Amino acid sequence: MPTIQQLFTQHIEQLQLRVADVLEREQLEALIIHSGYPLRIFLDDQHYPFQTNPHFKHWLPLTEHPHCWLVVNGVDKPTLIYHQANDYWHKAASSPSGFWVDFFDIRVMKHPQDIEPFLPKQRQRCAYIGEHPELAEALEIGERNPELVLNYLHYYRAYKTDYELECIQEANHRAVKAHLVAKELFLAGASEFEMNLAYLSSLGRGEHSLPYANIIALNENASILHYTALSASKLAEQKRYSLLIDAGAEYRGYAADITRSYAYRKGLFAELVLEMDILQQSLVNDLKPGYRYTDLHLKAHRKLAKLLVDFEFVYCSAAAAVETGITRCFFPHGLGHHLGLQVHDVGGLMQDEDGTVLAAPTLDPFLRCTRMLEPRQVLTIEPGLYFIPSLLAELAESEHTRLINWSRVDEMRRFGGIRIEDNVVITALNCDNLTRAGNWS
Ligand code: GLY
Ligand code: MN
Ligand code: MN
C-alpha cells in the first residue's frame, strides 16, 4: 500500500505536468488560483455558506479556507498564500498542518487586502482562475479564467490520480455507513427530516459539508427527482411504502453520490427494487474502456424496456417501448455523470483537451456525459424507474396510451420511484465499484 505522501507526490506531479503543458500552449507564465470568499446576502450582514473553487481544492485538501491563493507554474514548488486572520469574531484558520504542507511554499497573510505583494510582480502573462475576475482585474492579472485553459484543465480532470481515487473511495465508505443508519430509521418509521439528521450525525458533519443537498424521499416524493424538502411528518405504519435516499459525503474535497431505494414491505414494488438492482449491476459489470457513455445510456433504456415488459407495465415489445419514447417517461434523466471535486464533475461532454463538445442526444437532453470510457474516469451509474404524475399525464394523452397497462402503473404511483446509484472507476480491463467495496447489509 503506498503511503499518503507517495500518493500525494504523484498527484502533485501530475497536476504540475498539466499546468506546465497548458502554460506553454497558451504562452502564459503562471496560474493564480483563488480559493474564493463567502458571498454576502443582499442587504444583510450574513453570508451564504462558503464553497471553495474546485481548482483550488484540486491541489490540496482545504475546503473551508476563503481568501487563500495558489501560484503554480508547473516547474517551481507551488506557492500557497494562506489566509490566517486575527479575528475574535470567527474561528481563524489554524496553522497549516498535515501531509500536504511540505509540497507548498507557504506564506501566511493576515488580511485579504494584503494580497498584492504576495503575487508575482509581472502579472500580465498570468491567468487568474477563480470566482472573482473583477478582483483579478484590479490586481492587474492579465488573463481571467481563459476558456482554453479551463477547457484543458476540465478535460483532464476526468482522469483521477491514485490520491483522488482514495479520496472518493473514502467518501464512499462514509456515505455507505450513513446510508445504513438512515435505512434502519426508515424501517422504524422515521420522518425524512429525522433520517437526514441521523445521516449527518453518522458523518459527523453539517449539511453544508455535503457535496449536494440530500434527497430523502418517502412514498410519492420519490417521483420528484431532486426532492430536498425533508418533511418532518411521520407516516402511520400502513401508509409507509417506500424510501429513495440519494445522499453523499465529502472527503478532502471529493464527493460520493449514492442512491438506494427500499420497499417497506414485500410485494410488486419490492420485486421491482430487486430487479432494478440487478439491472444496475448488470450495467456496471459490462463497463470497460472503449464504450461511449451515450451507448450505455441507451443500453439502460433497453434493459428498462425489458423490465417494463416482464412486469406487464406495457403491452408492446421492449424495442417498441424504447422507440416510442415510453421508457423515457419512466426514466427521464441521464444514466450518470463524472464525479470528483464536484458531484457533477466537469468535462463530461468534452471530447478533447480543446474542449470540443459532443452534446447529449436530442432525445436525452439531460445526459451529462458523452465521453468514451477510459481508465481512471470516475462515473456514476444511476438508472431509475419512476411514476411521475406529469409525465404519466402526458403519456396518457399521447397516442401510446393504449400500450400502457394503466391499472398496474396506477398501483405503483404511491411508491414514487426507484433509483440505484453507485460510483465506479474505469480500470484497464473493466471497472471497480467504489460503492459496493464496503459492507452493505
Ligand atoms: N445526487 C445528484 C445526482 O445523482 O446526480
Ligand atoms: Mn448522480
Ligand atoms: Mn445522486
Side-chain angles (χ1 to χ4, degrees):
M1 278 283 282
T3 64
I4 183 70
Q5 264 77 18
Q6 288 165 332
L7 289 173
F8 201 64
T9 302
Q10 290 165 359
H11 177 69
I12 294 293
E13 279 171 7
Q14 182 60 240
L15 298 194
Q16 289 275 65
L17 286 174
R18 290 180 197 169
V19 167
D21 193 29
V22 76
L23 291 181
E24 191 187 325
R25 261 187 37 169
E26 301 306 315
Q27 295 294 293
L28 291 165
E29 284 165 13
L31 299 184
I32 301 179
I33 306 172
H34 187 199
S35 68
Y37 52 77
L39 303 176
R40 199 159 58 80
I41 297 168
F42 183 53
L43 299 181
D44 205 329
D45 63 354
Q46 305 292 305
H47 294 82
Y48 294 105
F50 174 63
Q51 291 289 338
T52 203
N53 172 2
H55 289 278
F56 182 82
K57 62 178 179 163
H58 204 184
W59 286 84
L60 73 186
L62 294 183
T63 55
E64 290 160 12
H65 290 70
H67 303 296
C68 291
W69 302 69
L70 280 168
V71 181
V72 292
N73 65 14
V75 178
D76 301 318
K77 192 174 191 178
T79 301
L80 168 65
I81 300 137
Y82 187 83
H83 176 234
Q84 197 175 28
N86 274 333
D87 183 348
Y88 55 85
W89 290 99
H90 307 101
K91 184 179 181 310
S94 42
S95 293
S97 69
F99 64 87
W100 55 272
V101 292
D102 291 339
F103 294 81
F104 297 88
D105 178 6
I106 302 178
R107 321 238 170 115
V108 172
M109 174 179 70
K110 293 287 175 202
H111 301 288
Q113 64 269 28
D114 292 345
I115 182 61
E116 209 253 319
F118 289 95
L119 297 177
K121 296 216 173 353
Q122 298 298 323
R123 297 188 284 275
Q124 211 37 46
R125 298 308 309 152
C126 292
Y128 171 86
I129 307 290
E131 198 183 350
H132 303 283
E134 68 295 339
L135 175 58
E137 198 172 352
L139 288 165
E140 297 177 344
I141 300 175
E143 304 266 340
R144 274 86 62 182
N145 297 320
E147 193 180 345
L148 290 174
V149 172
L150 288 183
N151 284 351
Y152 180 100
L153 297 176
H154 288 176
Y155 175 74
Y156 284 110
R157 228 164 81 189
Y159 308 107
K160 269 58 180 184
T161 62
D162 287 345
Y163 164 77
E164 295 181 286
L165 294 177
E166 284 245 336
C167 293
I168 301 171
Q169 176 71 82
E170 180 59 26
N172 265 265
H173 279 319
R174 292 174 183 215
V176 166
K177 211 166 132 243
H179 265 262
L180 291 173
V181 170
K183 176 190 174 187
E184 287 309 310
L185 280 187
F186 163 61
L187 296 173
S191 69
E192 295 164 350
F193 187 80
E194 288 169 325
M195 284 185 266
N196 193 46
L197 284 184
Y199 188 97
L200 292 171
S201 183
S202 166
L203 291 180
R205 307 280 299 273
E207 61 190 344
H208 295 306
S209 78
L210 295 173
Y212 57 93
N214 282 348
I215 297 165
I216 301 184
L218 288 167
N219 296 353
E220 66 275 9
N221 292 339
S223 73
I224 301 168
L225 297 180
H226 284 171
Y227 173 85
T228 53
L230 294 173
S231 163
S233 304
K234 283 179 186 291
L235 302 171
E237 165 135 49
Q238 70 277 17
K239 292 266 168 67
R240 292 178 207 151
Y241 305 126
S242 65
L243 170 70
L244 185 155
I245 170 165
D246 181 346
E250 181 267 353
Y251 184 67
R252 292 189 187 138
Y254 288 84
D257 178 11
I258 301 174
T259 311
R260 287 294 181 268
S261 298
Y262 303 104
Y264 187 74
R265 55 177 74 76
K266 291 194 174 73
L268 179 58
F269 184 77
E271 285 174 41
L272 280 176
V273 171
L274 280 179
E275 285 302 317
M276 284 300 289
D277 193 54
I278 292 168
L279 183 157
Q280 191 265 3
Q281 289 194 65
S282 76
L283 289 167
V284 169
N285 291 337
D286 282 351
L287 295 176
K288 58 179 178 197
Y291 283 129
R292 194 175 283 289
Y293 198 86
T294 324
D295 295 331
L296 297 170
H297 176 79
L298 284 177
K299 194 174 188 179
H301 272 279
R302 280 189 223 110
K303 285 178 184 278
L304 182 70
K306 182 166 181 318
L307 185 149
L308 292 175
V309 172
D310 290 348
F311 279 80
E312 297 173 1
F313 285 107
V314 294
Y315 299 125
C316 58
S317 68
V322 177
E323 275 159 31
T324 51
I326 288 173
T327 56
R328 287 181 174 80
C329 295
F330 292 95
F331 172 34
H333 60 74
L335 179 62
H337 49 85
H338 283 209
L339 178 75
L341 291 162
Q342 292 165 268
V343 62
H344 299 146
D345 217 8
V346 289
L349 305 178
M350 287 184 179
Q351 307 302 308
D352 56 37
E353 65 184 33
D354 296 326
T356 308
V357 163
L358 176 61
T362 322
L363 290 176
D364 301 288
F366 304 117
L367 188 60
R368 290 187 167 98
C369 183
T370 57
R371 262 167 102 146
M372 299 295 289
L373 298 193
E374 291 173 83
R376 297 193 172 277
Q377 292 174 342
V378 177
L379 298 153
T380 69
I381 298 291
E382 47 181 306
L385 164 59
Y386 309 90
F387 303 92
I388 301 174
S390 58
L391 296 183
L392 293 177
E394 278 176 29
L395 186 57
E397 292 289 305
S398 79
E399 58 180 315
H400 306 308
T401 184
R402 63 195 168 78
L403 302 177
I404 308 296
N405 178 352
W406 284 110
S407 65
R408 181 145 285 211
V409 168
D410 291 342
E411 210 185 311
M412 289 294 106
R413 287 178 192 261
R414 65 182 187 274
F415 297 92
I418 300 167
R419 177 163 69 256
I420 315 274
E421 175 176 26
D422 288 343
N423 306 164
V424 302
V425 53
I426 306 299
T427 58
L429 292 180
N430 40 45
C431 79
D432 288 337
N433 189 330
L434 302 173
T435 307
R436 298 195 196 231
N439 281 338
W440 286 96
S441 55

